[in-house]
Amino acid sequence: MSTVTTPGRVTTPSGDHPRRRLDWRLRFAALSLIWGFSFLLIKVGTEGYAPFQVTLGRLVFGTAVLAAAMAVRRERLPRGARTWGHLAVAAFLLNALPFSLFAYAELTIPSTLAGICNATSPLWGMALSLVALSEDRPTRVRVAGLGLGFLGVLTVLGAWQGFHGLDAGGTALALLASLSYPIGWIYVRRTLAGTSHSHLSMTGAQLLLATVQLAVVTPLFTTLPTSLSAGPLLAIAALGALGTGLAVLLQYGLVAEVGPTTAQMVTYFIPVIATAAGVALLDESLTWSTPVGAVIVLIGAALTQVRPKPRAQRLRADTCDPAGKPQT
């Protein structure tokens, strides 16, 4: 559930080198848990508030956490009308739209299914990159992963039963939400890669713009709640402060320390945790096709991320014997 812009390079604020108090594996596990439980928190939030209100609250709390982090690190918001324009689009595609779609989807589908739909983002990303990114060439392994992943989606949805008992509208919204992420990533890659602004600065501005977008939309489609439900309100606060704010900071640190490839592996743990949380804490039903299909989806998604070796590396391999010594 990546929700932030990822410029071409990650910079640390003002040349500082933040101290690592926890091993990156522990922070990786924490990020997996936070994002895995996010779908449960969305479900609880929608029990007391409208989906747009859940999303707005989530963004407000998340932006507050990033604003505090920026203040501590003495970060400034990026400058330039063009940068802010691109960030506004990124905010819509990576935050405002998918957050709202997941909130509306969970009105009619279980949080477990929403979490599994989120895991299809790498599949959508692979399919879109073949069209939008000319340098991203397909391979047999990646195409096979794409086909296997969508076979897993059909397994989760019980296609052989004619999707019996499935809310088609809610499922479609969750899948559209997962599709929105790679569209946003491709847009960011084309417009904001290589920016001189830090990752934290760009993400703070992005969440701020998403908050403004929801602040405009929410009053048009919702009315003020007649009473404040404490449980759902706490869920929204946790969703924003942890699932959006703290999670972004954890992701930022992981990308800077171990690289984007390793940090991206968190995607494969989210549906597992979301399913376990939904079944254990919300008593959501689980049939055999859900975990089996989820495993197939994750295997397919992992295969789509396999990159071919660079040409120079292949040439070196071709000119070396099995022991790694150059052939003569």
Side-chain angles (χ1 to χ4, degrees):
M1 180 188 271
S2 180
T3 62
V4 299
T5 55
T6 307
R9 56 190 180 89
V10 178
T11 58
T12 56
S14 305
D16 295 336
H17 299 280
R19 292 176 294 178
R20 303 297 182 188
R21 296 185 178 180
L22 290 176
D23 183 82
W24 72 266
R25 297 170 186 83
L26 295 177
R27 286 179 280 122
F28 183 96
L31 181 60
S32 301
L33 286 171
I34 290 172
W35 272 344
F37 271 87
S38 292
F39 297 95
L40 179 148
L41 295 174
I42 292 172
K43 190 74 171 180
V44 175
T46 56
E47 292 176 356
Y49 301 94
F52 275 139
Q53 292 170 346
V54 172
T55 303
L56 176 58
R58 173 182 188 174
L59 288 168
V60 167
F61 284 105
T63 302
V65 170
L66 286 192
M70 290 179 64
V72 169
R73 300 182 185 183
R74 297 182 180 179
E75 284 276 343
R76 294 183 178 180
L77 291 172
R79 298 179 180 179
R82 184 175 182 180
T83 298
W84 279 88
H86 290 317
L87 283 173
V89 178
F92 176 75
L93 293 173
L94 293 172
N95 302 113
L97 180 61
F99 290 179
S100 299
L101 288 175
F102 273 124
Y104 270 101
E106 291 198 41
L107 290 176
T108 56
I109 67 172
S111 64
T112 54
L113 180 55
I116 293 172
C117 287
N118 178 77
T120 64
S121 283
L123 304 177
W124 295 119
M126 165 66 183
L128 291 172
S129 67
L130 298 180
V131 178
L133 300 175
S134 58
E135 72 273 16
D136 209 353
R137 300 297 182 184
T139 64
R140 291 181 179 179
V141 172
R142 300 183 72 195
V143 172
L146 185 65
L148 184 64
F150 285 113
L151 176 63
V153 173
L154 294 177
T155 303
V156 171
L157 303 182
W160 65 91
Q161 298 175 336
F163 307 107
H164 177 70
L166 179 72
D167 185 85
T171 304
L173 290 178
L175 290 173
L176 284 174
S178 68
L179 172 61
S180 180
Y181 289 126
I183 293 176
W185 298 331
I186 291 173
Y187 179 83
V188 167
R189 184 171 173 179
R190 285 182 171 273
T191 60
L192 293 171
T195 179
S196 60
H197 301 290
S198 75
H199 181 90
L200 180 58
S201 173
M202 297 286 283
T203 303
Q206 177 186 315
L207 286 185
L208 176 61
L209 288 168
T211 303
V212 172
Q213 291 170 0
L214 261 295
V216 172
V217 171
T218 300
L220 300 178
F221 295 94
T222 65
T223 57
L224 290 175
T226 56
S227 61
L228 295 179
S229 302
L233 184 59
L234 289 174
I236 294 171
L239 179 64
L242 300 178
T244 304
L246 178 60
V248 165
L249 297 177
L250 289 173
Q251 184 190 38
Y252 166 52
L254 286 171
V255 170
E257 184 173 352
V258 299
T261 301
T262 301
Q264 187 182 13
M265 293 296 292
V266 71
T267 303
Y268 307 118
F269 291 88
I270 293 174
V272 177
I273 297 171
T275 299
V279 172
L281 300 178
L282 297 180
D283 294 325
E284 294 179 346
S285 60
L286 186 68
T287 60
W288 69 266
S289 61
T290 299
V292 170
V295 170
I296 297 174
V297 168
L298 294 178
I299 293 174
L303 291 176
T304 64
Q305 303 305 303
V306 175
R307 304 287 179 176
K309 294 181 179 179
R311 187 172 184 272
Q313 186 176 349
R314 292 200 305 269
L315 289 176
R316 286 197 300 270
D318 292 339
T319 57
C320 292
D321 63 20
K325 299 178 180 178
Q327 297 176 351
T328 57

